[in-house]
Amino acid sequence: MTGTPLGRPSGTVRAYLALAIVAAFLAGHLAGAVWLLARGEVESGLALLGALALEAGTVTGFYFGARGADG
């Protein structure tokens, strides 16, 4: 073993954790939006979906911006 976490290349476990955290956050927002829409609170549900899209775009932009700076 090379001393890396879980025998994976450097940074892989950190990436797994980041993906899990972001996925849980997005799933929670999506579930909340669906629940609000099902209750008939259309404006609140759409606002939450807008926040979901904004957060997903921000995370994606940061990821690809950081990757572009690396190489």
Side-chain angles (χ1 to χ4, degrees), residues 28-34 36 42-53 55:
H29 272 66
L30 183 59
V34 168
L36 286 169
V42 177
E43 288 183 22
S44 297
L46 291 178
L48 198 52
L49 286 175
L52 174 70
E55 292 156 3

Side-chain angles (χ1 to χ4, degrees), residues 7 9 12-13 24-25 28-29 33 35 38 41 47 50 52-53 55 60-61 63 67:
T12 304
V13 173
F25 193 73
H29 272 66
W35 180 72
E41 298 180 31
L52 174 70
E55 292 156 3
T60 303
Y63 176 78
R67 302 256 321 156

Side-chain angles (χ1 to χ4, degrees), residues 18-30:
L19 285 172
I21 291 167
V22 169
F25 193 73
L26 295 177
H29 272 66
L30 183 59

